[in-house]
Amino acid sequence: NDMESNLFVYGSLRPGEEAENLLGDYKIIEKNKKIIGYRMFVLENYPIAVLDPNGSIWGDVLKVNDNVFPNLDKYEETEKNIY
């Protein structure tokens, strides 16, 4: 699959963090990007993004190959293609 998508990452998926290897070859589009309308919530040592109109999360925007999404779904233990 040669399709690519931009992906906002935070926590363990950020470059240099423990799960970065799941991203395959990627290109950094924007480092230290702040998104508004979400906040990070930690549940059992696992950070998740939750809607919060007054919140914000810092992360990075990466260009990734779409073939990484099945592995990200497994890692995140989530439904297919919710990104």
Side-chain angles (χ1 to χ4, degrees):
N1 183 353
D2 290 332
M3 301 281 296
E4 294 182 321
S5 297
N6 287 352
L7 176 67
F8 177 81
V9 295
Y10 65 96
S12 63
L13 287 170
R14 290 184 85 172
E17 296 298 329
E18 64 189 66
E20 170 190 21
N21 63 309
L22 296 175
L23 299 169
D25 293 327
Y26 63 84
K27 178 180 177 187
I28 297 173
I29 302 298
E30 188 171 352
K31 283 189 72 75
N32 298 317
K33 170 78 174 166
K34 181 180 179 180
I35 60 168
I36 307 289
Y38 295 88
R39 68 178 168 86
M40 193 163 14
F41 177 76
V42 178
L43 178 65
E44 299 176 9
N45 295 321
Y46 189 75
I48 58 173
V50 294
L51 289 172
D52 181 345
N54 299 312
S56 62
I57 297 176
W58 289 92
D60 303 306
V61 179
L62 310 176
K63 173 128 359 237
V64 299
N65 189 295
D66 288 354
N67 66 9
V68 304
F69 288 113
N71 285 336
L72 292 179
D73 289 338
K74 288 177 191 172
Y75 176 74
E76 297 286 349
E77 297 178 355
T78 189
E79 296 176 22
K80 182 180 175 186
N81 298 326
I82 66 163
Y83 301 96

